Structures are given as structure tokens and as C-alpha cells.
PDB file of all heavy atoms in Angstrom:
ATOM      1  N   TYR G   1     -24.023   5.262 -13.271  1.00 94.00           N
ATOM      2  CA  TYR G   1     -25.422   5.681 -13.175  1.00 94.00           C
ATOM      3  C   TYR G   1     -25.594   7.176 -13.429  1.00 94.00           C
ATOM      4  O   TYR G   1     -24.716   7.984 -13.116  1.00 94.00           O
ATOM      5  CB  TYR G   1     -25.973   5.351 -11.784  1.00 94.00           C
ATOM      6  CG  TYR G   1     -25.986   3.876 -11.482  1.00 94.00           C
ATOM      7  CD1 TYR G   1     -25.005   3.299 -10.679  1.00 94.00           C
ATOM      8  CD2 TYR G   1     -26.966   3.043 -12.011  1.00 94.00           C
ATOM      9  CE1 TYR G   1     -24.996   1.939 -10.403  1.00 94.00           C
ATOM     10  CE2 TYR G   1     -26.969   1.679 -11.748  1.00 94.00           C
ATOM     11  CZ  TYR G   1     -25.986   1.132 -10.948  1.00 94.00           C
ATOM     12  OH  TYR G   1     -25.985  -0.214 -10.682  1.00 94.00           O
ATOM     13  N   ALA G   2     -26.751   7.486 -13.997  1.00 92.00           N
ATOM     14  CA  ALA G   2     -27.198   8.873 -14.086  1.00 92.00           C
ATOM     15  C   ALA G   2     -28.136   9.117 -12.910  1.00 92.00           C
ATOM     16  O   ALA G   2     -28.500   8.183 -12.196  1.00 92.00           O
ATOM     17  CB  ALA G   2     -27.925   9.106 -15.403  1.00 92.00           C
ATOM     18  N   GLY G   3     -28.502  10.374 -12.680  1.00 90.00           N
ATOM     19  CA  GLY G   3     -29.437  10.685 -11.607  1.00 90.00           C
ATOM     20  C   GLY G   3     -30.726   9.893 -11.753  1.00 90.00           C
ATOM     21  O   GLY G   3     -31.146   9.567 -12.867  1.00 90.00           O
ATOM     22  N   GLY G   4     -31.329   9.554 -10.635  1.00 91.00           N
ATOM     23  CA  GLY G   4     -32.545   8.755 -10.665  1.00 91.00           C
ATOM     24  C   GLY G   4     -33.701   9.471 -11.345  1.00 91.00           C
ATOM     25  O   GLY G   4     -33.719  10.699 -11.447  1.00 91.00           O
ATOM     26  N   ALA G   5     -34.669   8.703 -11.782  1.00 92.00           N
ATOM     27  CA  ALA G   5     -35.844   9.279 -12.440  1.00 92.00           C
ATOM     28  C   ALA G   5     -36.755   9.987 -11.442  1.00 92.00           C
ATOM     29  O   ALA G   5     -37.558  10.839 -11.819  1.00 92.00           O
ATOM     30  CB  ALA G   5     -36.620   8.173 -13.161  1.00 92.00           C
ATOM     31  N   GLY G   6     -36.603   9.638 -10.159  1.00 92.00           N
ATOM     32  CA  GLY G   6     -37.464  10.223  -9.126  1.00 92.00           C
ATOM     33  C   GLY G   6     -38.483   9.206  -8.642  1.00 92.00           C
ATOM     34  O   GLY G   6     -39.174   8.581  -9.461  1.00 92.00           O
ATOM     35  N   CYS G   7     -38.557   9.023  -7.324  1.00 94.00           N
ATOM     36  CA  CYS G   7     -39.488   8.063  -6.747  1.00 94.00           C
ATOM     37  C   CYS G   7     -39.825   8.501  -5.322  1.00 94.00           C
ATOM     38  O   CYS G   7     -39.178   9.416  -4.783  1.00 94.00           O
ATOM     39  CB  CYS G   7     -38.888   6.656  -6.768  1.00 94.00           C
ATOM     40  SG  CYS G   7     -37.461   6.464  -5.665  1.00 94.00           S
ATOM     41  N   PRO G   8     -40.812   7.879  -4.688  1.00 95.00           N
ATOM     42  CA  PRO G   8     -41.158   8.268  -3.315  1.00 95.00           C
ATOM     43  C   PRO G   8     -39.984   8.124  -2.332  1.00 95.00           C
ATOM     44  O   PRO G   8     -39.864   8.901  -1.385  1.00 95.00           O
ATOM     45  CB  PRO G   8     -42.297   7.306  -2.954  1.00 95.00           C
ATOM     46  CG  PRO G   8     -42.908   6.942  -4.266  1.00 95.00           C
ATOM     47  CD  PRO G   8     -41.774   6.905  -5.244  1.00 95.00           C
ATOM     48  N   ALA G   9     -39.103   7.137  -2.557  1.00 94.00           N
ATOM     49  CA  ALA G   9     -37.990   6.905  -1.628  1.00 94.00           C
ATOM     50  C   ALA G   9     -37.037   8.098  -1.567  1.00 94.00           C
ATOM     51  O   ALA G   9     -36.478   8.408  -0.515  1.00 94.00           O
ATOM     52  CB  ALA G   9     -37.225   5.650  -2.031  1.00 94.00           C
ATOM     53  N   CYS G  10     -36.837   8.773  -2.712  1.00 94.00           N
ATOM     54  CA  CYS G  10     -35.913   9.910  -2.750  1.00 94.00           C
ATOM     55  C   CYS G  10     -36.656  11.236  -2.873  1.00 94.00           C
ATOM     56  O   CYS G  10     -36.064  12.262  -3.195  1.00 94.00           O
ATOM     57  CB  CYS G  10     -34.919   9.758  -3.906  1.00 94.00           C
ATOM     58  SG  CYS G  10     -35.679   9.760  -5.559  1.00 94.00           S
ATOM     59  N   LYS G  11     -37.996  11.187  -2.656  1.00 94.00           N
ATOM     60  CA  LYS G  11     -38.837  12.397  -2.743  1.00 94.00           C
ATOM     61  C   LYS G  11     -38.721  13.058  -4.116  1.00 94.00           C
ATOM     62  O   LYS G  11     -38.641  14.274  -4.239  1.00 94.00           O
ATOM     63  CB  LYS G  11     -38.480  13.378  -1.637  1.00 94.00           C
ATOM     64  CG  LYS G  11     -38.740  12.807  -0.257  1.00 94.00           C
ATOM     65  CD  LYS G  11     -38.504  13.820   0.813  1.00 94.00           C
ATOM     66  CE  LYS G  11     -38.960  13.238   2.145  1.00 94.00           C
ATOM     67  NZ  LYS G  11     -38.082  13.403   3.245  1.00 94.00           N
ATOM     68  N   GLU G  12     -38.648  12.207  -5.129  1.00 95.00           N
ATOM     69  CA  GLU G  12     -38.631  12.622  -6.545  1.00 95.00           C
ATOM     70  C   GLU G  12     -37.387  13.426  -6.934  1.00 95.00           C
ATOM     71  O   GLU G  12     -37.396  14.147  -7.925  1.00 95.00           O
ATOM     72  CB  GLU G  12     -39.891  13.458  -6.879  1.00 95.00           C
ATOM     73  CG  GLU G  12     -41.200  12.795  -6.510  1.00 95.00           C
ATOM     74  CD  GLU G  12     -41.432  11.467  -7.229  1.00 95.00           C
ATOM     75  OE1 GLU G  12     -40.928  11.305  -8.351  1.00 95.00           O
ATOM     76  OE2 GLU G  12     -42.112  10.602  -6.639  1.00 95.00           O
ATOM     77  N   THR G  13     -36.296  13.308  -6.178  1.00 93.00           N
ATOM     78  CA  THR G  13     -35.085  14.076  -6.495  1.00 93.00           C
ATOM     79  C   THR G  13     -34.070  13.281  -7.310  1.00 93.00           C
ATOM     80  O   THR G  13     -33.210  13.862  -7.969  1.00 93.00           O
ATOM     81  CB  THR G  13     -34.382  14.541  -5.201  1.00 93.00           C
ATOM     82  OG1 THR G  13     -33.981  13.390  -4.452  1.00 93.00           O
ATOM     83  CG2 THR G  13     -35.307  15.410  -4.353  1.00 93.00           C
ATOM     84  N   GLY G  14     -34.151  11.961  -7.240  1.00 94.00           N
ATOM     85  CA  GLY G  14     -33.163  11.132  -7.937  1.00 94.00           C
ATOM     86  C   GLY G  14     -31.930  10.844  -7.098  1.00 94.00           C
ATOM     87  O   GLY G  14     -31.073  10.051  -7.494  1.00 94.00           O
ATOM     88  N   TYR G  15     -31.829  11.499  -5.953  1.00 95.00           N
ATOM     89  CA  TYR G  15     -30.691  11.292  -5.056  1.00 95.00           C
ATOM     90  C   TYR G  15     -31.199  11.024  -3.650  1.00 95.00           C
ATOM     91  O   TYR G  15     -32.216  11.564  -3.226  1.00 95.00           O
ATOM     92  CB  TYR G  15     -29.774  12.516  -5.042  1.00 95.00           C
ATOM     93  CG  TYR G  15     -29.080  12.774  -6.350  1.00 95.00           C
ATOM     94  CD1 TYR G  15     -29.656  13.608  -7.312  1.00 95.00           C
ATOM     95  CD2 TYR G  15     -27.846  12.199  -6.629  1.00 95.00           C
ATOM     96  CE1 TYR G  15     -29.026  13.848  -8.522  1.00 95.00           C
ATOM     97  CE2 TYR G  15     -27.200  12.432  -7.840  1.00 95.00           C
ATOM     98  CZ  TYR G  15     -27.793  13.261  -8.781  1.00 95.00           C
ATOM     99  OH  TYR G  15     -27.157  13.489  -9.971  1.00 95.00           O
ATOM    100  N   ARG G  16     -30.442  10.199  -2.904  1.00 95.00           N
ATOM    101  CA  ARG G  16     -30.846   9.893  -1.538  1.00 95.00           C
ATOM    102  C   ARG G  16     -29.610   9.700  -0.654  1.00 95.00           C
ATOM    103  O   ARG G  16     -28.817   8.802  -0.879  1.00 95.00           O
ATOM    104  CB  ARG G  16     -31.686   8.616  -1.515  1.00 95.00           C
ATOM    105  CG  ARG G  16     -32.326   8.346  -0.161  1.00 95.00           C
ATOM    106  CD  ARG G  16     -33.104   7.056  -0.196  1.00 95.00           C
ATOM    107  NE  ARG G  16     -33.791   6.830   1.060  1.00 95.00           N
ATOM    108  CZ  ARG G  16     -34.271   5.656   1.443  1.00 95.00           C
ATOM    109  NH1 ARG G  16     -34.133   4.604   0.649  1.00 95.00           N
ATOM    110  NH2 ARG G  16     -34.874   5.517   2.590  1.00 95.00           N
ATOM    111  N   GLY G  17     -29.444  10.573   0.314  1.00 96.00           N
ATOM    112  CA  GLY G  17     -28.286  10.519   1.202  1.00 96.00           C
ATOM    113  C   GLY G  17     -27.074  11.209   0.606  1.00 96.00           C
ATOM    114  O   GLY G  17     -27.104  11.708  -0.526  1.00 96.00           O
ATOM    115  N   ARG G  18     -26.014  11.252   1.385  1.00 96.00           N
ATOM    116  CA  ARG G  18     -24.786  11.912   0.932  1.00 96.00           C
ATOM    117  C   ARG G  18     -23.565  11.083   1.296  1.00 96.00           C
ATOM    118  O   ARG G  18     -23.617  10.235   2.185  1.00 96.00           O
ATOM    119  CB  ARG G  18     -24.659  13.297   1.574  1.00 96.00           C
ATOM    120  CG  ARG G  18     -25.764  14.240   1.142  1.00 96.00           C
ATOM    121  CD  ARG G  18     -25.411  15.660   1.455  1.00 96.00           C
ATOM    122  NE  ARG G  18     -26.465  16.554   0.982  1.00 96.00           N
ATOM    123  CZ  ARG G  18     -26.278  17.816   0.645  1.00 96.00           C
ATOM    124  NH1 ARG G  18     -25.086  18.354   0.723  1.00 96.00           N
ATOM    125  NH2 ARG G  18     -27.282  18.554   0.228  1.00 96.00           N
ATOM    126  N   THR G  19     -22.472  11.359   0.623  1.00 95.00           N
ATOM    127  CA  THR G  19     -21.187  10.730   0.941  1.00 95.00           C
ATOM    128  C   THR G  19     -20.103  11.781   0.766  1.00 95.00           C
ATOM    129  O   THR G  19     -20.307  12.795   0.081  1.00 95.00           O
ATOM    130  CB  THR G  19     -20.919   9.513   0.027  1.00 95.00           C
ATOM    131  OG1 THR G  19     -19.740   8.837   0.482  1.00 95.00           O
ATOM    132  CG2 THR G  19     -20.724   9.927  -1.430  1.00 95.00           C
ATOM    133  N   GLY G  20     -18.969  11.565   1.368  1.00 95.00           N
ATOM    134  CA  GLY G  20     -17.900  12.550   1.297  1.00 95.00           C
ATOM    135  C   GLY G  20     -16.825  12.179   0.296  1.00 95.00           C
ATOM    136  O   GLY G  20     -16.579  11.009   0.024  1.00 95.00           O
ATOM    137  N   ILE G  21     -16.198  13.203  -0.276  1.00 95.00           N
ATOM    138  CA  ILE G  21     -14.973  13.008  -1.051  1.00 95.00           C
ATOM    139  C   ILE G  21     -13.888  13.837  -0.368  1.00 95.00           C
ATOM    140  O   ILE G  21     -14.175  14.894   0.208  1.00 95.00           O
ATOM    141  CB  ILE G  21     -15.112  13.381  -2.535  1.00 95.00           C
ATOM    142  CG1 ILE G  21     -15.629  14.820  -2.694  1.00 95.00           C
ATOM    143  CG2 ILE G  21     -16.015  12.402  -3.262  1.00 95.00           C
ATOM    144  CD1 ILE G  21     -15.614  15.305  -4.139  1.00 95.00           C
ATOM    145  N   HIS G  22     -12.667  13.342  -0.408  1.00 95.00           N
ATOM    146  CA  HIS G  22     -11.602  13.962   0.369  1.00 95.00           C
ATOM    147  C   HIS G  22     -10.314  14.095  -0.428  1.00 95.00           C
ATOM    148  O   HIS G  22     -10.091  13.369  -1.392  1.00 95.00           O
ATOM    149  CB  HIS G  22     -11.329  13.138   1.632  1.00 95.00           C
ATOM    150  CG  HIS G  22     -12.556  12.877   2.450  1.00 95.00           C
ATOM    151  ND1 HIS G  22     -13.372  11.790   2.237  1.00 95.00           N
ATOM    152  CD2 HIS G  22     -13.101  13.581   3.457  1.00 95.00           C
ATOM    153  CE1 HIS G  22     -14.388  11.834   3.083  1.00 95.00           C
ATOM    154  NE2 HIS G  22     -14.239  12.897   3.839  1.00 95.00           N
ATOM    155  N   GLU G  23      -9.500  15.043   0.018  1.00 95.00           N
ATOM    156  CA  GLU G  23      -8.203  15.316  -0.619  1.00 95.00           C
ATOM    157  C   GLU G  23      -7.219  15.627   0.508  1.00 95.00           C
ATOM    158  O   GLU G  23      -7.392  16.614   1.221  1.00 95.00           O
ATOM    159  CB  GLU G  23      -8.373  16.511  -1.558  1.00 95.00           C
ATOM    160  CG  GLU G  23      -7.100  17.074  -2.152  1.00 95.00           C
ATOM    161  CD  GLU G  23      -7.391  18.277  -3.044  1.00 95.00           C
ATOM    162  OE1 GLU G  23      -7.923  18.072  -4.147  1.00 95.00           O
ATOM    163  OE2 GLU G  23      -7.112  19.424  -2.620  1.00 95.00           O
ATOM    164  N   LEU G  24      -6.220  14.768   0.694  1.00 96.00           N
ATOM    165  CA  LEU G  24      -5.264  14.948   1.792  1.00 96.00           C
ATOM    166  C   LEU G  24      -3.906  15.380   1.259  1.00 96.00           C
ATOM    167  O   LEU G  24      -3.244  14.632   0.547  1.00 96.00           O
ATOM    168  CB  LEU G  24      -5.122  13.644   2.589  1.00 96.00           C
ATOM    169  CG  LEU G  24      -4.134  13.698   3.771  1.00 96.00           C
ATOM    170  CD1 LEU G  24      -4.602  14.692   4.827  1.00 96.00           C
ATOM    171  CD2 LEU G  24      -3.948  12.313   4.371  1.00 96.00           C
ATOM    172  N   LEU G  25      -3.522  16.598   1.619  1.00 96.00           N
ATOM    173  CA  LEU G  25      -2.212  17.129   1.238  1.00 96.00           C
ATOM    174  C   LEU G  25      -1.268  16.965   2.433  1.00 96.00           C
ATOM    175  O   LEU G  25      -1.482  17.567   3.487  1.00 96.00           O
ATOM    176  CB  LEU G  25      -2.324  18.611   0.854  1.00 96.00           C
ATOM    177  CG  LEU G  25      -1.070  19.301   0.312  1.00 96.00           C
ATOM    178  CD1 LEU G  25      -1.483  20.495  -0.557  1.00 96.00           C
ATOM    179  CD2 LEU G  25      -0.134  19.796   1.415  1.00 96.00           C
ATOM    180  N   VAL G  26      -0.258  16.124   2.277  1.00 96.00           N
ATOM    181  CA  VAL G  26       0.750  15.936   3.325  1.00 96.00           C
ATOM    182  C   VAL G  26       1.918  16.872   3.027  1.00 96.00           C
ATOM    183  O   VAL G  26       2.441  16.889   1.912  1.00 96.00           O
ATOM    184  CB  VAL G  26       1.232  14.473   3.367  1.00 96.00           C
ATOM    185  CG1 VAL G  26       2.338  14.304   4.404  1.00 96.00           C
ATOM    186  CG2 VAL G  26       0.058  13.546   3.681  1.00 96.00           C
ATOM    187  N   VAL G  27       2.295  17.668   4.010  1.00 95.00           N
ATOM    188  CA  VAL G  27       3.372  18.652   3.805  1.00 95.00           C
ATOM    189  C   VAL G  27       4.722  17.943   3.937  1.00 95.00           C
ATOM    190  O   VAL G  27       5.246  17.764   5.030  1.00 95.00           O
ATOM    191  CB  VAL G  27       3.259  19.812   4.817  1.00 95.00           C
ATOM    192  CG1 VAL G  27       4.375  20.836   4.580  1.00 95.00           C
ATOM    193  CG2 VAL G  27       1.896  20.485   4.700  1.00 95.00           C
ATOM    194  N   ASP G  28       5.261  17.520   2.796  1.00 94.00           N
ATOM    195  CA  ASP G  28       6.573  16.865   2.776  1.00 94.00           C
ATOM    196  C   ASP G  28       7.651  17.913   2.482  1.00 94.00           C
ATOM    197  O   ASP G  28       7.375  19.115   2.436  1.00 94.00           O
ATOM    198  CB  ASP G  28       6.600  15.725   1.759  1.00 94.00           C
ATOM    199  CG  ASP G  28       6.280  16.197   0.342  1.00 94.00           C
ATOM    200  OD1 ASP G  28       6.281  17.426   0.100  1.00 94.00           O
ATOM    201  OD2 ASP G  28       6.026  15.342  -0.532  1.00 94.00           O
ATOM    202  N   ASP G  29       8.878  17.476   2.274  1.00 95.00           N
ATOM    203  CA  ASP G  29       9.997  18.406   2.071  1.00 95.00           C
ATOM    204  C   ASP G  29       9.811  19.267   0.825  1.00 95.00           C
ATOM    205  O   ASP G  29      10.159  20.454   0.825  1.00 95.00           O
ATOM    206  CB  ASP G  29      11.315  17.635   1.975  1.00 95.00           C
ATOM    207  CG  ASP G  29      11.729  17.041   3.322  1.00 95.00           C
ATOM    208  OD1 ASP G  29      11.221  17.506   4.352  1.00 95.00           O
ATOM    209  OD2 ASP G  29      12.550  16.096   3.326  1.00 95.00           O
ATOM    210  N   ASP G  30       9.272  18.679  -0.258  1.00 95.00           N
ATOM    211  CA  ASP G  30       9.074  19.440  -1.503  1.00 95.00           C
ATOM    212  C   ASP G  30       8.034  20.536  -1.308  1.00 95.00           C
ATOM    213  O   ASP G  30       8.230  21.687  -1.741  1.00 95.00           O
ATOM    214  CB  ASP G  30       8.636  18.501  -2.635  1.00 95.00           C
ATOM    215  CG  ASP G  30       9.742  17.549  -3.051  1.00 95.00           C
ATOM    216  OD1 ASP G  30      10.918  17.896  -2.837  1.00 95.00           O
ATOM    217  OD2 ASP G  30       9.428  16.468  -3.588  1.00 95.00           O
ATOM    218  N   VAL G  31       6.917  20.188  -0.664  1.00 95.00           N
ATOM    219  CA  VAL G  31       5.869  21.184  -0.408  1.00 95.00           C
ATOM    220  C   VAL G  31       6.389  22.250   0.551  1.00 95.00           C
ATOM    221  O   VAL G  31       6.138  23.445   0.375  1.00 95.00           O
ATOM    222  CB  VAL G  31       4.610  20.502   0.160  1.00 95.00           C
ATOM    223  CG1 VAL G  31       3.592  21.543   0.633  1.00 95.00           C
ATOM    224  CG2 VAL G  31       3.982  19.578  -0.874  1.00 95.00           C
ATOM    225  N   ARG G  32       7.159  21.811   1.555  1.00 95.00           N
ATOM    226  CA  ARG G  32       7.723  22.756   2.535  1.00 95.00           C
ATOM    227  C   ARG G  32       8.625  23.781   1.841  1.00 95.00           C
ATOM    228  O   ARG G  32       8.584  24.978   2.153  1.00 95.00           O
ATOM    229  CB  ARG G  32       8.491  21.960   3.591  1.00 95.00           C
ATOM    230  CG  ARG G  32       8.645  22.657   4.919  1.00 95.00           C
ATOM    231  CD  ARG G  32       9.120  21.718   6.013  1.00 95.00           C
ATOM    232  NE  ARG G  32       7.993  20.969   6.566  1.00 95.00           N
ATOM    233  CZ  ARG G  32       7.883  19.660   6.538  1.00 95.00           C
ATOM    234  NH1 ARG G  32       8.822  18.927   5.967  1.00 95.00           N
ATOM    235  NH2 ARG G  32       6.848  19.068   7.068  1.00 95.00           N
ATOM    236  N   ALA G  33       9.417  23.321   0.884  1.00 96.00           N
ATOM    237  CA  ALA G  33      10.319  24.224   0.154  1.00 96.00           C
ATOM    238  C   ALA G  33       9.527  25.235  -0.661  1.00 96.00           C
ATOM    239  O   ALA G  33       9.898  26.417  -0.745  1.00 96.00           O
ATOM    240  CB  ALA G  33      11.239  23.416  -0.750  1.00 96.00           C
ATOM    241  N   LEU G  34       8.418  24.787  -1.257  1.00 96.00           N
ATOM    242  CA  LEU G  34       7.575  25.699  -2.042  1.00 96.00           C
ATOM    243  C   LEU G  34       6.916  26.748  -1.146  1.00 96.00           C
ATOM    244  O   LEU G  34       6.800  27.920  -1.526  1.00 96.00           O
ATOM    245  CB  LEU G  34       6.501  24.905  -2.791  1.00 96.00           C
ATOM    246  CG  LEU G  34       6.987  24.077  -3.985  1.00 96.00           C
ATOM    247  CD1 LEU G  34       5.879  23.165  -4.496  1.00 96.00           C
ATOM    248  CD2 LEU G  34       7.467  24.991  -5.109  1.00 96.00           C
ATOM    249  N   ILE G  35       6.481  26.330   0.038  1.00 95.00           N
ATOM    250  CA  ILE G  35       5.872  27.287   0.976  1.00 95.00           C
ATOM    251  C   ILE G  35       6.895  28.349   1.359  1.00 95.00           C
ATOM    252  O   ILE G  35       6.574  29.539   1.422  1.00 95.00           O
ATOM    253  CB  ILE G  35       5.343  26.568   2.234  1.00 95.00           C
ATOM    254  CG1 ILE G  35       4.231  25.587   1.867  1.00 95.00           C
ATOM    255  CG2 ILE G  35       4.817  27.585   3.253  1.00 95.00           C
ATOM    256  CD1 ILE G  35       3.797  24.681   3.012  1.00 95.00           C
ATOM    257  N   MET G  36       8.138  27.924   1.600  1.00 94.00           N
ATOM    258  CA  MET G  36       9.197  28.863   1.971  1.00 94.00           C
ATOM    259  C   MET G  36       9.459  29.882   0.866  1.00 94.00           C
ATOM    260  O   MET G  36       9.823  31.024   1.131  1.00 94.00           O
ATOM    261  CB  MET G  36      10.490  28.091   2.273  1.00 94.00           C
ATOM    262  CG  MET G  36      10.434  27.285   3.555  1.00 94.00           C
ATOM    263  SD  MET G  36      10.494  28.314   5.024  1.00 94.00           S
ATOM    264  CE  MET G  36      12.205  28.789   5.024  1.00 94.00           C
ATOM    265  N   LYS G  37       9.260  29.444  -0.392  1.00 94.00           N
ATOM    266  CA  LYS G  37       9.459  30.347  -1.538  1.00 94.00           C
ATOM    267  C   LYS G  37       8.223  31.204  -1.809  1.00 94.00           C
ATOM    268  O   LYS G  37       8.183  31.946  -2.795  1.00 94.00           O
ATOM    269  CB  LYS G  37       9.780  29.538  -2.790  1.00 94.00           C
ATOM    270  CG  LYS G  37      11.111  28.820  -2.740  1.00 94.00           C
ATOM    271  CD  LYS G  37      11.281  27.971  -4.004  1.00 94.00           C
ATOM    272  CE  LYS G  37      12.553  27.159  -3.943  1.00 94.00           C
ATOM    273  NZ  LYS G  37      12.662  26.218  -5.083  1.00 94.00           N
ATOM    274  N   ASN G  38       7.175  31.039  -0.959  1.00 92.00           N
ATOM    275  CA  ASN G  38       5.915  31.774  -1.139  1.00 92.00           C
ATOM    276  C   ASN G  38       5.256  31.419  -2.476  1.00 92.00           C
ATOM    277  O   ASN G  38       4.712  32.288  -3.158  1.00 92.00           O
ATOM    278  CB  ASN G  38       6.157  33.282  -1.058  1.00 92.00           C
ATOM    279  CG  ASN G  38       4.969  34.006  -0.441  1.00 92.00           C
ATOM    280  OD1 ASN G  38       3.976  33.385  -0.077  1.00 92.00           O
ATOM    281  ND2 ASN G  38       5.064  35.319  -0.351  1.00 92.00           N
ATOM    282  N   ALA G  39       5.325  30.144  -2.849  1.00 93.00           N
ATOM    283  CA  ALA G  39       4.743  29.684  -4.115  1.00 93.00           C
ATOM    284  C   ALA G  39       3.224  29.755  -4.053  1.00 93.00           C
ATOM    285  O   ALA G  39       2.626  29.767  -2.963  1.00 93.00           O
ATOM    286  CB  ALA G  39       5.187  28.254  -4.400  1.00 93.00           C
ATOM    287  N   ASP G  40       2.598  29.796  -5.237  1.00 92.00           N
ATOM    288  CA  ASP G  40       1.135  29.856  -5.258  1.00 92.00           C
ATOM    289  C   ASP G  40       0.533  28.473  -5.046  1.00 92.00           C
ATOM    290  O   ASP G  40       1.231  27.453  -5.037  1.00 92.00           O
ATOM    291  CB  ASP G  40       0.626  30.478  -6.567  1.00 92.00           C
ATOM    292  CG  ASP G  40       1.066  29.697  -7.806  1.00 92.00           C
ATOM    293  OD1 ASP G  40       1.463  28.528  -7.657  1.00 92.00           O
ATOM    294  OD2 ASP G  40       0.987  30.260  -8.914  1.00 92.00           O
ATOM    295  N   ALA G  41      -0.800  28.448  -4.882  1.00 92.00           N
ATOM    296  CA  ALA G  41      -1.503  27.195  -4.565  1.00 92.00           C
ATOM    297  C   ALA G  41      -1.351  26.168  -5.681  1.00 92.00           C
ATOM    298  O   ALA G  41      -1.260  24.967  -5.417  1.00 92.00           O
ATOM    299  CB  ALA G  41      -2.981  27.478  -4.304  1.00 92.00           C
ATOM    300  N   ALA G  42      -1.294  26.631  -6.940  1.00 92.00           N
ATOM    301  CA  ALA G  42      -1.193  25.710  -8.070  1.00 92.00           C
ATOM    302  C   ALA G  42       0.121  24.929  -8.028  1.00 92.00           C
ATOM    303  O   ALA G  42       0.154  23.722  -8.285  1.00 92.00           O
ATOM    304  CB  ALA G  42      -1.307  26.471  -9.383  1.00 92.00           C
ATOM    305  N   ALA G  43       1.214  25.606  -7.687  1.00 94.00           N
ATOM    306  CA  ALA G  43       2.521  24.944  -7.612  1.00 94.00           C
ATOM    307  C   ALA G  43       2.544  23.929  -6.471  1.00 94.00           C
ATOM    308  O   ALA G  43       3.071  22.821  -6.611  1.00 94.00           O
ATOM    309  CB  ALA G  43       3.622  25.983  -7.422  1.00 94.00           C
TER     310      ALA G  43
END
């Protein structure tokens, strides 16, 4: 879907309500080793 055309239900915004998106980083042995090396966020 594309954004709504706008209606009374969404107060002409095309969107109604919110939902969350999430990203869970588990610190395993590989990540732990990178932290110890002071690696950057990208690594």
C-alpha cells in the first residue's frame, strides 16, 4: 500500500495509529571480541 488518500477516519493524513519496528543485537563471542578491539559500530 501507498499512503492513504485521506479520510475523516485518519483526519485526512492517510495514516492512522502506529506500530513499532525493532532491532535486537545479542552480544555473542564475536561481538564481544570486536568490542574488546574497540571496533566501530559498522563492524
Side-chain angles (χ1 to χ4, degrees):
Y1 297 101
C7 67
C10 63
K11 297 185 173 134
E12 307 299 331
T13 62
Y15 294 91
R16 189 182 184 197
R18 296 196 178 206
T19 187
I21 55 172
H22 307 88
E23 171 181 287
L24 180 64
L25 185 155
V26 177
V27 181
D28 59 13
D29 290 341
D30 292 335
V31 171
R32 204 167 278 119
L34 287 171
I35 297 171
M36 290 288 286
K37 293 176 184 174
N38 213 0
D40 60 18

